Amino acid sequence: MAASLLWTLEAVALAPERLRGVTLEIHAGVTAVLGCSGAGKTSLLNVLVGFEPAAGGRVRGPGRVFWVPQNGGLWPHCTAREHLRMVQPAGAEIEAMLAAFDLTGRAAARPGELSEGERARLAVARALLVPAEALVMDEPLAHVDSARVDKYWRAIRARLAATGAALVFATHEPERVLAEAQRVIFVRDGEVRHAGEVAELYADPPSRELMDALGPGNWLTPDEAKLWLGETGDRARCFRPEQIEVVPAADGPVVVRAASFRGAVAEAELEHVGAGVRRSFFHRPRDGSLRAGERVTVRLRV
């Protein structure tokens, strides 16, 4: 295999239809496995680490892999510090990792004495200290307070940069894929529906389903793009919220019927008066809120 190629899967199946004919390459770097609950994410990760043998097909992967299953896979008889010492005897690195994941004060506690979030942090901290070619994590930090998750992901990024280890992680959160991964594997009904660069999938998804997989977007046919945005094209395509402006205009051809603010993204239900057509748009909010009955124009940001 090429130096950057870690896994090759050829027509891999896992009964009963949890994986169906998966053919895939996974390279070095950070890869997210994305999909809703029951899509097959865990099944795919189980095959990658050899926890479940494929019922059909062929799997080739790296020699040194460390796995963090959904339950963390912690050792009930070991303290938090002992978990780290088992995989990395260097004391300074152990203490630094405990501090990075806010576990210093819980270093003497065993898994049964830790909260669900603390166990999740410990499982990730232990994995980062393993001298492995690749780490495979199933929904890492899923049970950690949302206010602190970004801090721990920064620690993950720093460690991967220092060691050169690859990471494959499963998630159902598009925001985490956009923030952490270079490549994404989208799984649905036990099938890989897409595998490629995150940036490419975000900018130009080939279908509405794949647009939605990476967060809010506006899927417009050529006729819709012409009507609403004055854009010409020969295929349906995605316009992300940051590409769209909804601007107050006294003589605008569009009327706001409803609007909701969602922080970085807003949603507006609009009616094109001349065409008598309604649809919702996700867009980046401007100063001030849109009001029902207000005249606006919809346009691409320059």
Side-chain angles (χ1 to χ4, degrees):
M1 291 187 289
S4 67
L5 183 59
L6 295 177
W7 277 275
T8 300
L9 285 69
E10 300 172 359
V12 169
L14 195 61
E17 294 194 343
R18 285 181 293 145
L19 292 179
R20 298 186 287 180
V22 172
T23 296
L24 185 65
E25 290 183 347
I26 300 177
H27 292 258
V30 180
T31 299
V33 179
L34 177 65
C36 62
S37 182
K41 303 187 301 296
T42 294
S43 295
L44 178 57
L45 266 55
N46 287 351
V47 167
L48 293 183
V49 301
F51 180 71
E52 291 190 86
R58 183 178 181 185
V59 180
R60 291 177 291 174
R64 293 178 296 150
V65 178
F66 194 85
W67 176 42
V68 180
Q70 282 189 359
N71 65 6
L74 299 176
W75 303 309
H77 61 288
C78 293
T79 66
R81 181 176 282 111
E82 288 168 344
H83 273 83
L84 305 192
R85 189 175 294 138
M86 292 283 284
V87 299
Q88 172 58 262
E93 288 200 321
I94 290 172
E95 298 310 313
M97 195 62 71
L98 287 170
F101 285 87
D102 295 324
L103 291 168
T104 300
R106 306 292 285 151
R110 291 178 172 81
E113 302 167 313
L114 298 174
S115 70
E116 195 170 31
E118 289 169 338
R119 292 194 297 271
R121 281 147 47 197
L122 175 58
V124 170
R126 177 184 60 178
L128 294 177
L129 287 179
V130 174
E133 294 176 65
L135 306 175
V136 176
M137 302 187 188
D138 198 349
E139 305 251 5
L141 305 175
H143 302 293
V144 174
D145 296 339
S146 58
R148 293 196 287 176
V149 166
D150 286 343
K151 171 185 176 181
Y152 303 134
W153 271 103
R154 287 194 293 272
I156 293 173
R157 290 199 299 270
R159 184 66 180 179
L160 294 177
T163 64
L167 171 65
V168 179
F169 72 97
T171 184
H172 60 272
E173 299 176 345
E175 298 83 3
R176 193 55 56 193
V177 178
L178 293 170
E180 308 298 341
Q182 292 93 48
R183 285 168 294 280
V184 59
I185 300 165
F186 178 66
V187 183
R188 181 182 175 189
D189 297 331
E191 298 178 347
V192 171
R193 300 294 180 93
H194 181 85
E197 300 292 323
V198 171
E200 292 178 3
L201 181 60
Y202 183 79
D204 191 20
S207 69
R208 185 193 298 267
E209 177 186 44
L210 289 169
M211 175 189 76
D212 292 340
L214 283 185
N218 305 287
W219 188 259
L220 274 66
T221 66
D223 288 345
E224 289 171 326
K226 179 69 174 176
L227 174 66
W228 292 95
L229 302 174
E231 287 290 301
T232 58
D234 57 2
R235 64 181 178 91
R237 58 166 291 199
C238 162
F239 296 87
R240 292 292 180 182
E242 61 271 19
Q243 297 176 277
I244 300 293
E245 285 188 309
V246 181
V247 184
D251 58 349
V254 176
V255 175
V256 178
R257 294 307 180 195
S260 61
F261 176 68
R262 304 184 182 187
V265 175
E267 183 177 11
E269 183 182 341
L270 307 176
E271 181 178 355
H272 195 290
V273 178
V277 177
R278 285 194 185 195
R279 68 159 293 146
S280 292
F281 275 90
F282 292 105
H283 63 101
R284 288 284 188 261
R286 298 168 60 89
D287 294 337
S289 301
L290 296 174
R291 301 181 305 276
E294 185 176 13
R295 286 270 183 167
V296 297
T297 186
V298 185
R299 66 192 185 193
L300 291 180
R301 286 182 181 271
V302 178

